[in-house]
Amino acid sequence: MDNIRNKLALLPDLAGCYLMKNEEGTIIYVGKAKVLKNRVRSYFTGSHNGKTQRLVADIRDFEYIVTASNMEALILECNLIKKHMPRYNVQLKDDKTFPYIKITNEAHPRLEVTRRVIKDKAKYFGPYPNAYAAHQTKKLLDRMYPLRKCGVMPKEVCLYYHMGQCLAPCEKEVPKSSYEEITQSIAAFLGGGHDAIKKDLQKKMQEAAEELYFERAKELRDQILNIEALMEKQNINTPDTKDRDVFGYAVDKGWMCVQILYMRQGKMIQRHSSAFPFYGEAYSDFMSYVTQYYSDNPAVPQEILLPDFLPDGGAVNELKADEKVEVSVSIKDAAGIEELQESPEEAAERAAAAEKAAAAGIVDAFGGAAALQEWLGVKVLVPQRGLKKQMVGMACQNGRVALDEKFRLIERDEERTSGAALGLGQSLGLESLSRIEAFDNSNIQGTNPVSAMVVFIDGKPARKEYRKYKVRTVKGPDDYETMREVIRRRYERVLKEDLPMPDLIVVDGGKGQISAAIDILENELGLFIPVCGLVKDVKHKTAQLLVGDPPEPVALARDSQEFYLLQRIQDEVHRFAITFHREQRGKSMITSKLDSIPGIGEKRRKLLLKHFGSLKKIKEAGVEDFRPLSIGDKLARQILEALKDEEPV
């Protein structure tokens, strides 16, 4: 702390970025500040919420970089986050995975859905918040516009030409003007001009019907229906036809939800929602998200709307059903709609909070918007009244609804899992049922026998406590003796290391497996832990629960939460055991194939696998590839000859 105090005294009254480090010297948080001196000092004075306190507790040192302006600080912060990926920063991990629709820059262009945006003079439209929306839109465009569909030009016309969905550049010359006209129509469609295209299609449909081309008229009618289906959710309209992205955010319980409403030509065409934990100051982290979002996004709109600094960080309050604002609400104009205006008290509270943030050196809403506008070269606004403020308010409200639903789902899941465990305990006559340990064995005709254990605590998997066992003493496919060995090894260790005892042990199998487990527990280890068995039906699905000695079936409704919990336990332990068995079988097959080659011992086998990575890569190598391993050409040929007829594992 002495080192930190000395550094705090030397901080400048300038804008810039700061990098917080832990005791290993790893950068754990990157932030920007309007005034470095005030912002960095604020971390080490006063009280903080739980998540920020966790960040502060890990800080052992810091660095700072002075910038000439807020804009430079904004860009520098974005670059530093991408470079160092600090654990406490908001990171837009999916910023390069948004799909785009692309019209390729070729002599005969094609339509593609791509996640890679490169400078190839192609036209990109998007981003689309989900791949399904992008592929459905492309599918519709493929039917409407006859661009080339094939990756490699064929020698003769294909089915798409006969369906009227391709101009057949493989067969005849297509003028450049035709492609330009199609490209402009697609650009208009993807830019939100669905109404004009729909009217044009309706006109063509009527003309086809009048000329008795009923099949063509039906195709055009289907295209119109597809456009209408695509436009169903586009009910938010503005009087102008600008392309804009509307941002809103809300925070609660250490989580932030950012909502983006994509408006193209005055119509809302998509919505994107992101929820993630955050550790710093809410508005700064929100601006960090926005900056990262546009750093790799070529589809920048004409206008960006941001929310103002919220005094409570946009915290979620208890929402009533009639207060929830859905994105299907229609906004035609500002008239007749109740404006989202602040009371004088709310305005004063917001102004005081903004003043406090400015005093702490935090980049304020208007400063952040100005920096973003200077960087992107488009208009960035923080609306204070009217229709645009309503749109931002709608985005924020949807963020609050999304977080509220998230926490309700978590609570519901908690009730479902813990309630199922409690109900199962009551069905088995147990006073409490918190910890369940389940076992399953796996082998193929006795080869590579393994076993696995999974742990469920209060109905949830505790994956850090899963264990794998290589069976040591059992030869051949003996499931009962395998169960005896694994139960003995597990609970000898539990006794020796004073580990937590389970309230229930679940074995995969019937009476034989249950009896084997009880015998080891009671007669060898002196433990009296309830043991139950899960019997599967002919379809390998959980069918019955057996408990006791001798085992008796327990009646559980097939649609009860208790039965679903048992299914999850049995599926999880089976998955864990079978995965481990496959790993062991694969290793043993590779080992046996290499060991059978004269001149290859354990040392060379490990060297080969480490260098090549797999048996398949060794098989595909040339003689010269073995020379760096000090393996002569003669032995290399022997290795390749021995593996020649082997199938790759």
Side-chain angles (χ1 to χ4, degrees):
M1 286 303 297
D2 289 338
N3 178 47
I4 288 176
R5 288 192 193 96
N6 293 333
K7 282 189 160 185
L8 289 173
L10 301 174
L11 283 164
D13 294 324
L14 299 169
C17 289
Y18 52 90
L19 301 89
M20 301 298 192
K21 298 181 177 181
N22 63 10
E23 57 188 355
E24 286 87 28
T26 304
I27 295 169
I28 58 173
Y29 187 76
V30 173
K32 60 186 173 298
K34 195 175 182 181
V35 182
L36 280 168
K37 184 177 181 180
N38 296 347
R39 181 63 186 135
V40 178
R41 280 182 175 179
S42 70
Y43 283 94
F44 304 99
T45 57
S47 59
H48 304 284
N49 61 34
K51 287 217 165 191
T52 306
Q53 188 59 47
R54 193 187 308 172
L55 162 63
V56 174
D58 283 351
I59 297 172
R60 294 294 180 273
D61 193 10
F62 68 86
E63 291 180 11
Y64 62 88
I65 302 171
V66 174
T67 59
S69 65
N70 286 346
M71 182 198 76
E72 287 186 12
L74 203 69
I75 299 168
L76 179 60
E77 181 200 36
C78 177
N79 293 335
L80 290 171
I81 289 172
K82 287 191 173 185
K83 180 181 178 182
H84 298 290
M85 299 186 70
R87 60 171 296 195
Y88 288 110
N89 272 100
V90 168
Q91 293 177 36
L92 186 59
K93 294 178 182 177
D94 58 351
D95 59 344
K96 291 185 181 177
T97 63
F98 285 128
Y100 292 80
I101 291 180
K102 171 183 177 181
I103 303 176
T104 61
N105 180 37
E106 299 174 274
H108 305 290
R110 293 178 297 124
L111 269 177
E112 291 179 352
V113 174
T114 181
R115 293 177 186 270
R116 291 182 66 244
V117 178
I118 55 177
K119 293 181 180 179
D120 57 355
K121 296 185 180 179
K123 289 184 171 61
Y124 292 88
F125 301 90
Y128 287 81
N130 62 74
Y132 179 77
H135 283 286
Q136 286 298 105
T137 305
K138 179 188 176 292
K139 192 175 177 181
L140 173 60
L141 292 171
D142 279 337
R143 289 198 294 265
M144 290 172 59
Y145 299 103
L147 288 181
R148 177 166 66 97
K149 308 293 187 293
C150 49
V152 179
M153 198 82 74
K155 293 180 180 178
E156 55 185 23
V157 294
C158 62
L159 183 61
Y160 286 114
Y161 172 72
H162 297 295
M163 292 169 64
Q165 294 180 19
C166 181
L167 295 173
C170 57
E171 186 79 12
K172 56 186 179 180
E173 189 68 29
V174 180
K176 192 176 180 182
S177 58
S178 298
Y179 286 131
E180 288 175 354
E181 186 181 340
I182 291 172
T183 301
Q184 288 172 3
S185 298
I186 291 174
F189 181 88
L190 294 174
H194 306 88
D195 285 328
I197 289 166
K198 183 181 166 185
K199 287 176 183 176
D200 184 49
L201 289 175
Q202 285 173 335
K203 182 182 175 183
K204 289 179 180 177
M205 180 184 71
Q206 289 170 356
E207 289 173 356
E210 287 170 4
E211 294 174 10
L212 305 182
Y213 294 135
F214 296 117
E215 288 186 2
R216 177 61 179 158
K218 181 181 178 297
E219 288 175 8
L220 293 165
R221 184 204 65 185
D222 291 342
Q223 289 179 7
I224 292 166
L225 292 174
N226 287 326
I227 292 174
E228 288 175 347
L230 195 69
M231 293 174 63
E232 270 183 352
K233 297 179 182 178
Q234 302 169 14
N235 296 323
I236 297 181
N237 301 318
T238 54
D240 59 20
T241 56
K242 275 191 176 180
D243 295 350
R244 53 172 63 90
D245 289 349
V246 183
F247 284 83
Y249 78 101
V251 299
D252 191 26
K253 299 182 179 69
W255 280 75
M256 177 182 291
C257 179
V258 177
Q259 296 272 329
I260 311 172
L261 307 181
Y262 300 101
M263 306 200 68
R264 298 296 180 265
Q265 294 198 356
K267 296 181 178 66
M268 196 191 95
I269 62 170
Q270 290 288 346
R271 178 183 67 155
H272 179 64
S273 177
S274 293
F276 42 82
F278 76 102
Y279 296 87
E281 191 276 325
Y283 199 84
S284 289
D285 281 2
F286 164 71
M287 286 302 298
S288 174
Y289 177 97
V290 176
T291 308
Q292 290 180 66
Y293 175 78
Y294 285 114
S295 66
D296 288 301
N297 182 356
V300 180
Q302 296 168 282
E303 189 174 275
I304 298 168
L305 303 183
L306 301 178
D308 200 352
F309 185 92
L310 302 176
D312 58 354
V316 175
N317 299 316
E318 190 64 32
L319 295 168
K320 297 177 184 176
D322 57 353
E323 289 178 328
K324 293 188 178 183
V325 178
E326 300 294 340
V327 293
S328 59
V329 174
S330 177
I331 299 179
K332 298 295 181 185
D333 51 46
I337 295 177
E338 182 182 355
E339 291 196 4
L340 304 174
Q341 293 179 335
E342 297 172 312
S343 66
E345 294 80 10
E346 289 171 333
E349 186 183 359
R350 181 180 59 77
E355 187 177 340
K356 184 179 177 182
I362 299 168
V363 177
D364 63 298
F366 295 99
L372 202 62
Q373 178 169 301
E374 186 181 351
W375 176 43
L376 296 176
V378 299
K379 192 177 285 187
V380 182
L381 303 175
V382 182
Q384 298 297 300
R385 63 183 65 85
L387 178 60
K388 290 180 180 178
K389 178 164 183 177
Q390 292 175 43
M391 290 156 61
V392 171
M394 182 183 299
C396 290
Q397 183 73 340
N398 274 279
R400 289 192 283 272
V401 171
L403 277 185
D404 181 62
E405 288 178 352
K406 177 183 178 65
F407 294 124
R408 287 177 190 270
L409 285 172
I410 291 172
E411 289 171 9
R412 184 179 173 186
D413 187 55
E414 289 280 351
E415 291 172 4
R416 184 171 65 90
T417 53
S418 58
L422 182 65
L424 181 60
Q426 290 172 350
S427 300
L428 298 174
L430 303 177
E431 292 183 6
S432 66
L433 182 56
S434 174
R435 184 184 181 91
I436 300 172
E437 296 185 356
F439 296 83
D440 189 16
N441 305 325
S442 182
N443 66 79
I444 296 179
Q445 295 181 342
T447 61
N448 303 109
V450 298
S451 190
M453 180 196 77
V454 301
V455 179
F456 275 63
I457 299 175
D458 294 328
K460 291 182 178 178
R463 291 184 174 84
K464 288 184 179 179
E465 301 200 43
Y466 287 13
R467 295 293 180 268
K468 301 172 182 175
Y469 297 92
K470 290 182 184 178
V471 178
R472 299 170 182 164
T473 61
V474 181
K475 303 297 180 185
D478 192 333
D479 208 31
Y480 303 150
E481 285 303 313
T482 300
M483 187 62 69
R484 292 169 69 87
E485 178 190 326
V486 173
I487 293 290
R488 183 186 295 113
R489 286 168 58 186
R490 167 62 184 168
Y491 294 104
E492 278 180 349
R493 178 173 287 251
V494 167
L495 290 170
K496 184 179 179 180
E497 299 181 7
D498 197 24
L499 299 174
M501 285 285 182
D503 299 308
L504 178 68
I505 295 171
V506 178
V507 297
D508 188 75
K511 296 180 180 180
Q513 286 85 349
I514 295 172
S515 299
I518 291 175
D519 179 42
I520 296 297
L521 290 167
E522 296 183 1
N523 299 330
E524 288 193 22
L525 304 175
L527 296 174
F528 295 88
I529 303 170
V531 179
C532 69
L534 293 175
V535 181
K536 294 178 180 175
D537 58 20
V538 292
K539 294 182 180 178
H540 214 63
K541 299 290 184 183
T542 307
Q544 196 174 42
L545 173 66
L546 299 177
V547 69
D549 191 16
E552 297 292 336
V554 177
L556 286 176
R558 296 294 290 262
D559 59 350
S560 66
Q561 292 295 340
E562 292 80 6
F563 192 81
Y564 292 154
L565 174 60
L566 290 173
Q567 278 185 322
R568 290 200 301 276
I569 292 172
Q570 190 170 38
D571 290 345
E572 177 69 355
V573 70
H574 181 69
R575 177 199 66 78
F576 194 51
I578 208 78
T579 303
F580 183 43
H581 181 252
R582 283 172 182 159
E583 289 173 5
Q584 295 304 307
R585 193 172 77 246
K587 287 178 183 177
S588 68
M589 289 172 74
I590 290 172
T591 301
S592 63
K593 286 173 184 176
L594 290 174
D595 283 346
S596 64
I597 301 171
I600 300 294
E602 184 180 353
K603 188 175 179 180
R604 271 185 172 159
R605 185 189 73 227
K606 288 181 179 178
L607 192 65
L608 283 165
L609 289 173
K610 185 178 180 181
H611 181 76
F612 290 102
S614 70
L615 200 66
K616 184 183 177 185
K617 294 283 181 67
I618 298 172
K619 184 181 172 184
E620 293 171 350
V623 172
E624 64 280 358
D625 296 325
F626 291 86
R627 290 169 189 163
L629 303 178
S630 300
I631 293 177
D633 291 357
K634 183 179 178 182
L635 180 56
R637 290 191 190 93
Q638 287 179 346
I639 294 169
L640 294 174
E641 191 65 30
L643 298 177
K644 188 176 180 181
D645 299 324
E646 295 283 357
E647 287 295 324
V649 178

